[in-house]
Amino acid sequence: APQPTPAACLNTTGCAWLTLSGACADAASPRTLLTPPSCCASQTPGSPCEHRTADLPDGSCSVPGTGGLQAGEFDLAKAQRMAHFAGATYCSPDQITHWNCGP
């Protein structure tokens, strides 16, 4: 079955659109609860999602970091993590959803 769109997902009672995985899930599921609130949308009352519409502008999903930095500090682990996110944009959806930790 084809994946639903964010709009179709939000028009389904009790569902949440998970931006990072591009999938629709039950708004109360563990998968939704583990998603950063800024990275999901749901119209379900009590949902942990910050967004209530399917219009999720670029930059609306912030991935939690490893902690705050003081001015002038550099976190190599965080820089590498963000580089991997950026690099993933060049992969096909199939490569992302079926990734197995290999090269």
Side-chain angles (χ1 to χ4, degrees), residues 20 31-40 48-51 61-64:
L20 293 175
R31 187 175 179 192
T32 299
L33 298 175
L34 290 172
T35 297
S38 67
C39 297
C40 66
C49 300
E50 286 182 7
H51 303 284
C61 174
S62 60
V63 179

Side-chain angles (χ1 to χ4, degrees), residues 27-96:
S29 72
R31 187 175 179 192
T32 299
L33 298 175
L34 290 172
T35 297
S38 67
C39 297
C40 66
S42 179
Q43 295 180 355
T44 303
S47 162
C49 300
E50 286 182 7
H51 303 284
R52 300 291 175 232
T53 69
D55 298 320
L56 300 175
D58 286 343
S60 64
C61 174
S62 60
V63 179
T66 56
L69 295 176
Q70 300 299 319
E73 289 184 325
F74 178 75
D75 182 339
L76 179 60
K78 184 173 183 179
Q80 289 172 326
R81 185 173 179 222
M82 294 301 113
H84 289 141
F85 278 119
T89 63
Y90 296 97
C91 298
S92 71
D94 189 57
Q95 287 176 303
I96 300 294

